[in-house]
């Protein structure tokens, strides 16, 4: 069983920044690749970013250059620094392994609006 707890979302104006955090626990390896995903209203959940155990990162084209994924010292803590936010970034953001396991956390709502 894996527990995933996301936090750090909120309401921000276009151009603003937020930092999301994810704490993963349970039957998850510290060597697992971790990822961030998001689900906008009326859309399917999709990939945002991933970080491999060695530190290699990859991003969806829509967030490249604006978002940065990183891991904490515990390796099962993952962050997503989001800069230059746009209204189209509005979504519920989730973390999980990459590829994702079957269970998901509650997510954290990010709303970008003036």
């Amino acid at each position: 069983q894996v527990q995933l707890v996301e936090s750090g979302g909120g309401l921000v104006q276009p151009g603003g920044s937020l930092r999301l955090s994810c704490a993963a626990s349970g039957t998850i390896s510290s060597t697992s690749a971790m990822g961030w995903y998001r689900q906008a209203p009326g859309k399917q959940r999709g990939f945002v970013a991933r970080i491999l155990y060695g530190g290699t990162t990859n991003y969806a084209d829509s967030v490249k250059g604006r978002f940065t994924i990183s891991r904490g010292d515990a390796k099962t803590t993952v962050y997503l620094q989001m800069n230059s936010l746009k209204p189209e970034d509005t979504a519920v953001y989730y973390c999980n392994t990459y590829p994702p396991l079957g269970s998901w956390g509650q997510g954290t709502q990010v709303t970008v609006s003036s």
Side-chain angles (χ1 to χ4, degrees):
Q1 194 86 11
V2 176
Q3 292 80 43
L4 300 159
V5 180
E6 302 92 348
S7 62
L11 172 64
V12 63
Q13 292 187 341
S17 298
L18 283 174
R19 188 188 193 216
L20 306 184
S21 299
C22 168
S25 61
T27 55
I28 184 169
S29 170
S30 62
T31 62
S32 296
M34 295 295 294
W36 281 96
Y37 308 81
R38 67 185 181 186
Q39 185 168 19
K43 296 187 177 181
Q44 289 189 333
R45 183 155 40 203
F47 168 77
V48 174
R50 71 172 181 177
I51 183 165
L52 306 184
Y53 177 70
T56 300
T57 57
N58 301 95
Y59 300 90
D61 288 343
S62 58
V63 307
K64 204 171 293 183
R66 300 187 297 120
F67 290 12
T68 302
I69 187 172
S70 61
R71 298 180 87 138
D73 291 340
K75 301 300 182 185
T76 52
T77 301
V78 187
Y79 305 100
L80 187 68
Q81 178 66 43
M82 306 187 296
N83 299 328
S84 302
L85 282 161
K86 304 175 180 181
E88 51 263 44
D89 294 318
T90 295
V92 179
Y93 284 71
Y94 302 87
C95 70
N96 209 318
T97 57
Y98 186 92
L101 298 172
S103 58
W104 293 87
Q106 294 296 311
T108 186
Q109 175 71 49
V110 172
T111 302
V112 185
S113 175
S114 54

